[in-house]
Amino acid sequence: MATDVRPLRQDEWNSWYDNLLRAFGGVDEALENREFWHQLCEYDRFLGAWDEEGLIGTAGAFSFRLTVPGGASVPAAGVTGVSVAATHRRRGVLTSMMRRQLDDVRSWGEPLAVLTASEPAIYGRFGYGTGTLHVNVAIDSRRVRLSVPPGTDDVRLRYAAPAEVYDACEAVYARLVPQRPGMLARQPRWERLELLDPESARAGASPLQCVVAERDGEVVGYTRFRVRPEWSHASADGTVVVQQVEGLDAAARSALWRFLLGIDLTSRVVALGRPVDEAWQYQVSDIRRCDLRTKDSLHVRLVDVGAALQARTYQAPVDVVFEVEDAFCPWNEGRWRLTGDVKGASCERTTDAADLALSVRELGSAYLGGISLTALAAAGRVRELRQGALAEASLAFGSAVAPWLPHEF
């Protein structure tokens, strides 16, 4: 049967979303969540795949701006909602949607596509590489203490209704976005994302709570969390489930983490998707009681190699020629000369001899500075053709802070 891949019409949203939910287990989401995602739908950027039986595949691409090394905000397609009906697997439906989507992203002039993967093994063949990692933690707050820097006691904490201090918290978030690669600027209509709080998503925990950190009357940090009360042998054994912790400086962040670790009637703090280099890890009294587990997060695809590589800066001078393999987007294949430093970069086609050979997938992994080209070479994924080129490029591509995605999509 022929498959027709085309943009979604407004009257097809509910069918599209129902098919997506079914592919992810058939759980009926809260109406609050469904309406939120409906409002965010960019119909010309959301695709459906149809055959004679009806809708059989879904895929979307939000309009985002992604922070890259150097602090620039670069247009990026946030790939989301990808599914194929279980009755139509291995018939090329996903490949057809990925083909149409990447062609579209290129036509929109967006040099990057990014996604979070339910199954990472799926996307490597389409040129996506793991670009950021994060850690999930479960801290034994009965036994772990935090050493805090000077100034922490000068930070005032207070409870506030999440909606009432939303603007102040978003101002903190906006100031942090340029400071770390991988962060997404909050786009219009996304303002409700952090406040979604359907009862069905709480898993027995409290409604969403918020505490803000203030100094001289200014909000300098915040945390949003829930508390799940539990009792064991008549003793309190509750869990603090952290949704966000953000602060503009070390004292604000430390005050918030110290608060979370000290909430009465709780014995653990669970936080998902935290930066791999977050400072609290070096402040705790016993890191082994924090149960850190690393996981892949953002997967990065360079849709336009030249534009993407010159959109970021490089922490050391670099002049290197890449031989790029990209079978799925052949316009990227061939040799590219990258020259750059902390002030800027250029990346142009060249006929000069190549210094490094790799696929676009490895460029995606290294792009945000969290995965080194040296590590990829040790895995056999990058070939050094000019001695010294690997060390030069790997150093230049690095980032002083680990890239991190705090913004779900």
Side-chain angles (χ1 to χ4, degrees), residues 146 180 250 253-254 257 275-284:
L146 206 69
R180 190 184 284 272
R253 291 188 293 269
S254 297
W257 276 105
V276 297
D277 61 348
E278 198 165 20
W280 66 263
Q281 300 173 61
Y282 313 108
Q283 297 174 291
V284 293

Side-chain angles (χ1 to χ4, degrees), residues 93-138:
V93 177
L94 178 60
T95 299
S96 296
M97 291 192 297
M98 293 292 100
R99 171 77 282 136
R100 170 63 187 266
Q101 186 176 73
L102 287 171
D103 288 343
D104 285 349
V105 174
R106 185 190 185 201
S107 73
W108 299 329
E110 296 171 3
L112 299 169
V114 295
L115 58 83
T116 58
S118 57
E119 296 182 274
I122 294 173
Y123 293 98
R125 59 192 167 113
F126 303 119
Y128 289 87
T130 302
T132 74
L133 304 173
H134 65 221
V135 294
N136 298 333
V137 303

Side-chain angles (χ1 to χ4, degrees), residues 40-70:
L40 291 176
C41 180
E42 301 175 59
Y43 288 97
D44 59 334
R45 299 170 63 99
F46 275 52
L47 301 173
W50 281 264
D51 71 2
E52 295 176 2
E53 299 177 17
L55 184 61
I56 57 172
T58 65
F62 290 120
S63 305
F64 284 145
R65 298 196 68 88
L66 178 77
T67 300
V68 300

Side-chain angles (χ1 to χ4, degrees), residues 121-163:
I122 294 173
Y123 293 98
R125 59 192 167 113
F126 303 119
Y128 289 87
T130 302
T132 74
L133 304 173
H134 65 221
V135 294
N136 298 333
V137 303
I139 305 171
D140 183 349
S141 55
R142 295 168 300 186
R143 302 186 181 185
V144 172
R145 295 293 175 265
L146 206 69
S147 61
V148 297
T152 300
D153 292 336
D154 297 330
V155 177
R156 175 177 178 261
L157 302 182
R158 67 177 176 89
Y159 280 97

